[in-house]
Amino acid sequence: MKSTKSKVLAAVLATSILMTACSSNTGKDVSGEDVTDSMSEEVTTETTEEVPEGDEIIPLYKPEFEDEIREVSPYDLLYFDTFSYYFSVSPAKTDDLGRTLYQLDQFKTFDLKYDSESLATGYSLEGADPDTTTNVGVYFSGFNMLRYTQVYGECDGKTDSMEGTGSFIPLFYNQTRACLVGYNIVSNSGKTEVHLREVYHGYISMLNFEHKDGMTPDVDNPEEYGFTTIPDADTPTRDVIIPLYNPEFEAEIRKISPAELYEFDNYSKYFPVETISEEGLTYYKLKADSVFQVRDVYNDTNTENKTLYGVEYYAYGRPGDVLGGMVITEDKSVLDLGDLSGYYDISKGHAFVPILYNQTRNCLVGYVPEESVQAFSDSELTSYDGYYLIEVYYGSMMPGMDVFPAYNPGRYGF
């Protein structure tokens, strides 16, 4: 791969990328040569701009992350908070629903060729020069509940979300091939896969993965982009993850059956607790360095800032009972048992048992029985002896909390 640092020519050429919206042009590389007049001793040299050998590859991330970007979990970049840390973006416009769309500070638009499938099947594209490029604006958003990074293309006054399988995080602009290159993250039979793929201008959609023979190929030479291996969904997260269990169980906590953690007799063994007793029913308050700050993902929709609530976790029960648990907001008392309904029914064992706190995403991470979250039954989530691993946020869907699958258990060491 050519060095991605201090590319003077790339900077000059990149400036031309930003000029027009949806203008099509056809161009080929032209290099100059020395021309000698054989009838004279004078030598005339025609000077032209030097054309780089091979593909000119321009990084889209912040230059200070040149080395680190290939070590970050690709799944982390799907979260807009993380994406906007590694990529310099600014608000560009507001869509029809009042939501903010962002663009890269350095590159607002890109000259992109048509993908092969569009050239082969697109009506009115018969005979089109495959080197024809179209100037496409690229936008990003993070306004869904968990602020997943979404990519949009704009051309001819139309903006649409990217078509194709899975999610896309652009890392580079390949100026010679006139395409974006980045991670394509897909779920296949419950397993998350990461591919390095090319994205072009599509005939129907503004942005489309390259397709050949009905397949979505990976890039031919990842080494061109500085990769010796492609990080996968199990690449350790850069999130700040805080264990809630006693440190001596670090080596085995993820191997223990969740059912064992649900036994009330075992809870004080595996977790640091403060004991509170009331009329024969024992309460354990999970000890922590500070009150957990849990994010309200529903109220955060369409907002720029996090809404955080302080919560504490209590377990309760009697020896031999199945553990019950609840998340209590800071303005409630442990005796507010009116909050126990359905999801927290101690007789059904539908408690939530947190084992980690994700300080970056502001959520608790832990187990719930499969039967307590029937909505996840068709999601092909990994089951841990009849339990799901979930992320828990503040909300009103269930008493005091909203749950989402931990789609990437690798980030938590599972």
Side-chain angles (χ1 to χ4, degrees):
M1 174 184 169
K2 298 173 72 68
S3 172
T4 57
K5 300 176 181 177
S6 303
K7 295 186 176 178
V8 176
L9 177 61
V12 173
L13 295 177
T15 303
S16 65
I17 297 174
L18 312 179
M19 297 301 178
T20 60
C22 294
S23 61
S24 295
N25 58 80
T26 302
K28 297 182 180 179
D29 292 339
V30 179
S31 60
E33 0 177 291
D34 292 340
V35 179
T36 302
D37 186 345
S38 61
M39 301 298 292
S40 171
E41 292 183 359
E42 293 185 9
V43 177
T44 303
T45 302
E46 181 180 331
T47 303
T48 61
E49 186 176 4
E50 181 184 355
V51 175
E53 296 180 2
D55 292 340
E56 189 67 20
I57 297 166
I58 303 173
L60 304 181
Y61 45 83
K62 296 176 183 177
E64 60 264 35
F65 296 122
E66 170 62 31
D67 297 322
E68 183 176 334
I69 195 70
R70 294 170 183 81
E71 301 173 358
V72 177
S73 170
Y75 202 97
D76 278 4
L77 296 174
L78 285 182
Y79 285 82
F80 189 72
D81 292 348
T82 305
F83 176 80
S84 59
Y85 173 75
Y86 286 99
F87 294 77
S88 182
V89 296
S90 297
K93 66 176 184 178
T94 302
D95 69 4
D96 294 339
L97 297 177
R99 301 175 295 196
T100 302
L101 298 182
Y102 297 77
Q103 284 187 304
L104 296 170
D105 290 339
Q106 186 179 3
F107 299 99
K108 314 295 183 189
T109 65
F110 298 87
D111 289 333
L112 301 177
K113 295 178 182 178
Y114 278 110
D115 66 286
S116 300
E117 187 175 64
S118 292
L119 286 173
T121 62
Y123 176 74
S124 79
L125 291 182
E126 297 88 349
D129 188 335
D131 287 331
T132 298
T133 61
T134 301
N135 193 256
V136 179
V138 176
Y139 293 86
F140 304 89
S141 73
F143 49 69
N144 56 356
M145 287 183 297
L146 288 182
R147 294 177 65 82
Y148 283 132
T149 305
Q150 295 174 291
V151 183
Y152 296 80
E154 180 180 74
C155 190
D156 291 328
K158 177 185 177 183
T159 303
D160 63 7
S161 58
M162 184 175 168
E163 298 283 340
T165 303
S167 301
F168 178 65
I169 299 295
L171 301 174
F172 307 94
Y173 173 57
N174 189 320
Q175 193 169 41
T176 306
R177 294 176 63 81
C179 67
L180 296 168
V181 177
Y183 293 132
N184 179 205
I185 304 168
V186 298
S187 179
N188 187 9
S189 299
K191 181 180 180 181
T192 302
E193 298 177 353
V194 179
H195 303 268
L196 193 66
R197 288 174 169 165
E198 298 175 344
V199 165
Y200 293 82
H201 174 47
Y203 175 65
I204 296 177
S205 61
M206 302 301 106
L207 299 171
N208 203 19
F209 287 107
E210 172 69 341
H211 286 81
K212 293 180 181 178
D213 302 322
M215 305 294 289
T216 308
D218 293 352
V219 298
D220 292 331
N221 298 306
E223 295 83 3
E224 282 189 284
Y225 301 96
F227 289 96
T228 53
T229 59
I230 305 299
D232 57 27
D234 292 333
T235 298
T237 181
R238 293 303 178 98
D239 290 356
V240 177
I241 309 295
I242 300 175
L244 303 181
Y245 44 82
N246 287 317
E248 61 265 29
F249 295 105
E250 174 63 37
E252 58 183 290
I253 196 71
R254 293 165 181 80
K255 301 176 183 178
I256 297 170
S257 171
E260 188 171 342
L261 300 179
Y262 268 70
E263 290 292 337
F264 188 73
D265 307 51
N266 292 334
Y267 190 77
S268 59
K269 168 187 173 183
Y270 289 114
F271 296 91
V273 298
E274 174 186 347
T275 303
I276 304 171
S277 295
E278 283 287 340
E279 299 179 357
L281 186 65
T282 300
Y283 294 88
Y284 288 133
K285 177 183 177 181
L286 182 61
K287 288 183 179 179
D289 292 337
S290 61
V291 174
F292 302 120
Q293 297 294 309
V294 177
R295 185 171 189 170
D296 186 340
V297 292
Y298 280 99
N299 288 337
D300 270 2
T301 303
N302 303 335
T303 64
E304 300 294 327
N305 301 313
K306 294 181 179 180
T307 304
L308 302 177
Y309 291 88
V311 300
E312 296 177 347
Y313 182 83
Y314 292 81
Y316 56 92
R318 298 180 178 86
D321 283 347
V322 174
L323 173 68
M326 60 190 299
V327 172
I328 301 178
T329 60
E330 54 193 354
D331 60 348
K332 295 180 182 178
S333 162
V334 69
L335 299 179
D336 286 337
L337 299 184
D339 279 353
L340 299 179
S341 61
Y343 189 67
Y344 300 104
D345 188 341
I346 189 172
S347 67
K348 298 178 182 178
H350 288 182
F352 164 60
V353 177
I355 58 176
L356 302 166
Y357 173 60
N358 188 326
Q359 190 175 55
T360 304
R361 307 207 188 288
N362 299 112
C363 66
L364 292 165
V365 181
Y367 294 117
V368 291
E370 289 183 19
E371 62 267 22
S372 68
V373 281
Q374 293 293 325
F376 297 168
S377 60
D378 296 327
S379 60
E380 297 184 333
L381 291 176
T382 300
S383 176
Y384 300 88
D385 293 334
Y387 294 78
Y388 288 134
L389 188 70
I390 64 170
E391 294 178 348
V392 173
Y393 298 82
Y394 183 90
S396 59
M397 294 294 289
M398 293 177 179
M401 59 195 291
D402 291 329
V403 301
F404 294 87
Y407 288 110
N408 182 19
R411 82 166 63 248
Y412 299 117
F414 287 86

